[in-house]
Amino acid sequence: DVHAFEPDPDAREAAASLNLAEVRAGALPGPTAFDERFDLVCALDVIEHVDADEASCAALAQRLKPDGFALFTVPAFMFLWSGHDEVLHHKRRYRRPAFDAMLERAGLEIAYSSYFNTLLFPAALAGRTVQRLTGSASSEDTSSLPPAFANAALGAVFAAERHLLPAMKLPFGVSVLSLARLKR
């Protein structure tokens, strides 16, 4: 069974219309809309949007069963900050060690953590550098996808990392992935 919560009524309605999960009203750090405990709690590109990131992670930890896991992804490296982050209402980007330390303060222990989206990191860094040098970093259009061929190529590069992550922790990337469980 999949359950979800969303604070924005329009986004909640759009998510519920997909019929993939029950979508309740809720917010981080609370109320989270659920009293039950779960085997897996996911916050995929969520924590960078909330004011109280540590309290939000602690609230999600409270929803775990004793042997459950929490999976988080967040954007990495403040030096990659751009108009894209502003348009998406991000409040911050993280370094992996600092993010994992925050999860530990929130009552979790790290089972696995790595940067990811590493293969596209050079392109992202180059793009941010060009934006800064040309003064075009203040706004970005996120309303359209790249052309289909470019989107497919980027998707293939991104997907290729799924073979690397089980074998190694990546030393840098555009994002952080952390899998955690309740402290024992």
Side-chain angles (χ1 to χ4, degrees):
D1 293 333
V2 177
H3 305 279
F5 65 92
E6 166 61 45
D8 181 75
D10 293 333
R12 188 169 51 251
E13 183 180 330
S17 73
L18 299 173
N19 295 316
L20 299 173
E22 174 187 7
V23 183
R24 295 183 190 172
L28 287 171
T32 60
F34 297 100
D35 293 325
E36 52 265 65
R37 297 188 181 271
F38 299 94
D39 296 311
L40 177 65
V41 172
C42 297
L44 308 177
D45 293 325
V46 170
I47 301 302
E48 68 273 13
H49 294 276
V50 298
D51 289 322
D53 55 353
E54 189 171 327
S56 296
C57 292
L60 292 173
Q62 292 173 0
R63 302 282 44 96
L64 286 175
K65 289 181 178 177
D67 58 346
F69 285 90
L71 180 65
F72 299 90
T73 60
V74 292
F77 298 115
M78 280 303 292
F79 63 79
L80 291 177
W81 186 268
S82 73
H84 184 76
D85 293 285
E86 293 169 16
V87 167
L88 295 177
H89 306 286
H90 291 175
K91 300 193 182 292
R92 67 195 75 77
R93 290 175 153 268
Y94 296 87
R95 289 185 179 266
R96 188 183 60 78
F99 185 71
D100 289 347
M102 182 191 65
L103 292 178
E104 289 176 356
R105 289 190 307 273
L108 297 163
E109 66 181 17
I110 305 304
Y112 177 84
S113 181
S114 178
Y115 288 104
F116 74 102
N117 207 351
T118 298
L119 299 174
L120 293 174
F121 182 87
L125 181 59
R128 298 308 193 262
T129 302
V130 167
Q131 289 172 342
R132 284 187 184 93
L133 291 174
T134 62
S136 64
S138 61
S139 68
E140 292 187 22
D141 179 16
T142 61
S143 63
S144 61
L145 293 173
F149 74 90
N151 204 36
L154 292 169
V157 171
F158 180 76
E161 287 186 13
R162 75 182 181 279
H163 302 293
L164 298 174
L165 286 169
M168 63 189 299
K169 292 183 178 184
L170 301 174
F172 57 88
V174 177
S175 300
V176 174
L177 169 96
S178 294
L179 180 67
R181 61 180 158 243
L182 289 174
K183 285 186 179 175
R184 298 174 193 228

